[in-house]
Amino acid sequence: MKNLKLKPLVTATLLALTATAAQASERVIVQVDNPGKGIVKNLARQAGGELKVEGDGFIALEFAGKNLDQIKGLLNNPHVKLVEVDQVRRLMSFSDDLGDPMAQQITPYGYYQSQSDQVTFDPNAGMKVCVIDSGLDSSNPDFLWDRITGDNDPGTGNWFDAGGEHGTHVAGTVGAADNTFGVIGMAPGVDMHIIKVFNAEGWGYSSDLAKATQLCSAAGANIINMSLGGGGANSTEENAFNSFVADGGLIVAAAGNDGNSVRSYPAGYPAVMMIGANDANNDIATFSQFPSCTTGRGKRTSTDETICVEVTAGGVDTLSTFPAGLATSSGLNADGSAYVSAAMENVGNASGSTYFMGTAEAVDSGANGKVCVIDRGVISFFDKVNNCEQSGGVGAVIINNEPGVLYGTLGDTNTTSIPAVGAALEDRSALLTASTMDITIGASDYGFLSGTSMATPTVAGVAALVWSNHPSCSGEDIRSALKATALDSGAPGKDVYFGYGMVQAAAADAYLTANSCGSVEPPPPPPPSGDLTLSANGFKSKGLQYTNLTWEGATSTNVDIYRDGQLIATTANDGAYTDALNRKGGGAYLYQVCEEASSTCSAMVQVVF
């Protein structure tokens, strides 16, 4: 059985499909005045347009064999305000408690990391989270279904029939019930409204999001979660988000999973709170996108913290709900003690004495009838498990060679049959000294996914949790409070990776208790300390960018150099450093110098090429 526990890079790859292949013809959004909508629809039909979406103040049309300029000419009518491309939008996806979520409730690490365990959700406060995604599958029992509603769509089907695991996983992170099995959501049992906007291939359009936002509002939602994104802004979509926020709502969206500085939408709109992902060790996820907060060049340069990452939350190997039976779970016991593990492949059970095979690069008869204990490295996971099985081994445990649990599969061409699990490097000593082991792998209603898609519902759930205790606040009050109290991570102060830091429910709750709504302001960047000053001069050599940095006032032996909030060098405190960016073209960068491992820093200085 194929393991549905996706690694971050796999998730990012799944999301990297291009929109070009998905669009066989040009699709547009037409902003219209509502009284004239019928006239425009008739005009479009006569010109060969097919109606795809109809919302308040707009329609979406598809034209075969025509480009945008041609369509604008066909729809030249006084009732038409604007014709624009209908942008494609795609799905984006501490340690957990030990145990089997099919038999007991397991608390995901993000619940602890975000301090959700320290705040009590008030189910009577009127909170409702609208999840715009791929649907919530009704086969999973870990929800209070009498508190969940949704909207059907003729193009994507029933909201309660999930198109894959993504939407069900997201909804579980927001509000899975607090019971005796499964997982617990950040705001357990919160009212939810589900809108299924994605087709079977996992993509939709900006017009779908605009319409869905209007439906969220009609359903009485306070918060919208969008674990999705794509390239290009769209004014119709943005107008819908602006209206929702102006009415007091909060919208959160995923920053993106390509690990670069590209700004994804809808997260890149000022009305939408952009969410990045961190892991269980409080480190930034390698896939989490980090667009700059700065736009423009030269005198036209401006900084806007609402177009870049504002906060982060756990989004690496996140445990949550799946459609029933579509995930796999594993159990690992050594000498009667349970250890954390991750299913790799092959449903089944294995028990026996242990045999250490090293890196299992060859068949070894000593493994016959035993559970193979194997170190990661040198050869593929499949080859290791295959060598164990060919040696007569009954099961395989592969131990990671870096901190954390090993998440992996045996590949699409797997031909082995024995159950195989990954284990944590931290448990290596105990596993190597164990005399017996028991392995179990079975189908499960709960599984792991990675992505900013997983971090986003953590923030949506935390927002609902905090807001339920302060119902007089607006969405913007909650947004500001989450930023004001985030746990600073990465470079000191706000940076492009973490924004203000990792979201903290208890801290935000305490902040709103001490500060009345409407008066909450995000903390300013850390002020320069002492007399440490920095100058920066950018230049090009053979077309490549370089920055000369000079500073005064540092008293430490070494200094730390930061670019856009990322530590790029620790160097001798000799007053000068040249940053060779090895990039061509334009760009804007923020530099800061700090005394080594200290918050004694200069003010930030910008260089524009």
Side-chain angles (χ1 to χ4, degrees):
M1 179 176 178
K2 188 174 181 181
N3 184 6
L4 291 176
K5 193 173 293 183
L6 302 181
K7 294 186 71 178
L9 290 179
V10 176
T11 307
T13 302
L14 291 175
L15 302 175
L17 302 174
T18 63
T20 304
Q23 299 184 70
S25 54
E26 187 69 83
R27 180 161 157 159
V28 298
I29 298 180
V30 184
Q31 293 183 19
V32 299
D33 57 60
N34 283 325
K37 187 185 291 183
I39 296 173
V40 177
K41 287 164 63 178
N42 287 332
L43 178 62
R45 185 170 55 251
Q46 294 170 9
E50 180 182 356
L51 181 66
K52 292 295 185 180
V53 177
E54 182 173 351
D56 183 13
F58 73 92
I59 56 176
L61 303 164
E62 188 170 66
F63 289 84
K66 295 181 175 63
N67 60 33
L68 180 62
D69 288 337
Q70 291 172 322
I71 296 170
K72 286 181 177 179
L74 293 170
L75 299 181
N76 185 11
N77 185 278
H79 295 292
V80 173
K81 300 178 181 178
L82 176 70
V83 180
E84 59 183 340
V85 172
D86 199 356
Q87 300 284 355
V88 172
R89 299 292 181 245
R90 299 184 183 282
L91 299 171
M92 297 297 191
S93 5
F94 291 43
S95 64
D96 301 333
D97 290 341
L98 286 174
D100 178 5
M102 297 292 284
Q104 66 188 93
Q105 183 168 275
I106 304 299
T107 303
Y109 76 85
Y111 188 77
Y112 297 122
Q113 189 181 58
S114 66
Q115 299 182 334
S116 294
D117 60 318
Q118 300 176 39
V119 181
T120 301
F121 176 66
D122 182 354
N124 300 314
M127 293 297 108
K128 182 179 285 189
V129 180
C130 193
V131 179
I132 302 175
D133 211 285
S134 62
L136 170 56
D137 202 275
S138 59
S139 63
N140 191 293
D142 205 7
F143 293 94
L144 300 182
W145 284 99
D146 61 340
R147 307 192 70 158
I148 300 175
T149 56
D151 278 298
N152 293 326
D153 186 293
T156 58
N158 295 326
W159 64 265
F160 50 81
D161 294 328
E165 71 278 354
H166 193 276
T168 301
H169 194 279
V170 165
T173 298
V174 172
D178 185 5
N179 46 33
T180 59
F181 61 91
V183 295
I184 184 171
M186 304 300 141
V190 66
D191 288 11
M192 287 189 281
H193 191 74
I194 309 299
I195 301 182
K196 183 179 178 181
V197 299
F198 290 106
N199 57 26
E201 288 74 36
W203 55 269
Y205 289 93
S206 51
S207 59
D208 298 319
L209 300 189
K211 175 67 173 179
T213 300
Q214 293 176 351
L215 293 173
C216 291
S217 182
N222 315 87
I223 301 166
I224 293 177
N225 185 96
M226 293 185 291
S227 294
L228 49 89
N234 179 280
S235 65
T236 306
E237 175 184 63
E238 184 177 15
N239 289 342
F241 302 145
N242 289 342
S243 295
F244 186 86
V245 171
D247 289 339
L250 173 68
I251 305 175
V252 294
N257 296 344
D258 288 335
N260 57 30
S261 60
V262 173
R263 184 172 293 107
S264 179
Y265 294 92
Y269 297 123
V272 179
M273 189 175 189
M274 184 185 295
I275 310 301
N278 56 259
D279 65 16
N281 297 318
N282 296 357
D283 294 323
I284 199 70
T286 57
F287 54 76
S288 189
Q289 285 173 222
F290 48 94
S292 173
C293 305
T294 303
T295 58
R297 300 181 63 181
K299 295 181 179 179
R300 298 179 182 270
T301 299
S302 62
T303 300
D304 182 354
E305 69 173 32
T306 65
I307 62 172
C308 49
V309 173
E310 297 186 40
V311 294
T312 67
V316 179
D317 297 321
T318 300
L319 178 65
S320 189
T321 47
F322 264 55
L326 286 190
T328 55
S329 65
S330 67
L332 171 62
N333 281 270
D335 287 344
S337 296
Y339 292 89
V340 64
S341 64
M344 299 185 76
E345 215 79 60
N346 304 328
V347 171
N349 304 308
S351 299
S353 300
T354 61
Y355 184 77
F356 180 53
M357 287 188 71
T359 52
E361 297 170 56
V363 172
D364 185 341
S365 60
N368 186 38
K370 299 178 180 179
V371 176
C372 304
V373 181
I374 303 169
D375 278 331
R376 180 182 183 180
V378 185
I379 61 175
S380 70
F381 300 146
F382 166 77
D383 288 334
K384 291 175 184 292
V385 176
N386 188 52
N387 285 338
C388 171
E389 185 168 9
Q390 296 305 313
S391 302
V394 297
V397 177
I398 303 179
I399 303 173
N400 209 351
N401 58 5
E402 59 185 20
V405 180
L406 173 61
Y407 296 95
T409 72
L410 304 186
D412 292 336
T413 58
N414 174 44
T415 57
T416 65
S417 61
I418 61 174
V421 301
L425 176 63
E426 293 83 351
D427 295 329
R428 184 176 185 274
S429 295
L431 296 176
L432 291 185
T433 58
S435 58
T436 62
M437 282 189 184
D438 301 288
I439 303 172
T440 60
I441 297 180
S444 178
D445 303 347
Y446 305 89
F448 295 81
L449 291 178
S450 292
T452 51
S453 280
M454 285 62 253
T456 303
T458 299
V459 176
V462 166
L465 172 64
V466 173
W467 204 346
S468 76
N469 289 276
H470 304 274
S472 64
C473 293
S474 69
E476 285 296 283
D477 290 328
I478 300 300
R479 180 179 184 175
S480 295
L482 294 179
K483 291 190 290 186
T485 58
L487 178 62
D488 188 24
S489 302
K494 185 177 183 294
D495 63 72
V496 295
Y497 299 95
F498 284 94
Y500 283 100
M502 297 184 298
V503 69
Q504 303 283 277
D509 177 53
Y511 198 93
L512 287 170
T513 299
N515 298 273
S516 60
C517 283
S519 65
V520 180
E521 294 293 337
S529 304
D531 298 320
L532 183 49
T533 59
L534 173 67
S535 297
N537 177 49
F539 67 96
K540 289 186 178 181
S541 177
K542 296 182 179 179
L544 297 176
Q545 299 172 355
Y546 294 83
T547 302
N548 281 336
L549 302 174
T550 58
W551 63 89
E552 295 179 349
T555 59
S556 57
T557 303
N558 297 315
V559 295
D560 293 330
I561 307 293
Y562 291 90
R563 183 201 322 127
D564 290 336
Q566 174 82 359
L567 178 64
I568 61 172
T570 297
T571 186
N573 181 19
D574 55 10
Y577 178 81
T578 298
D579 180 23
L581 291 95
N582 292 320
R583 300 174 186 171
K584 293 185 176 181
Y589 308 96
L590 289 173
Y591 286 94
Q592 189 175 38
V593 61
C594 302
E595 293 185 353
E596 184 179 16
S598 166
S599 59
T600 300
C601 302
S602 71
M604 289 188 178
V605 176
Q606 185 177 59
V607 173
V608 178
F609 288 93

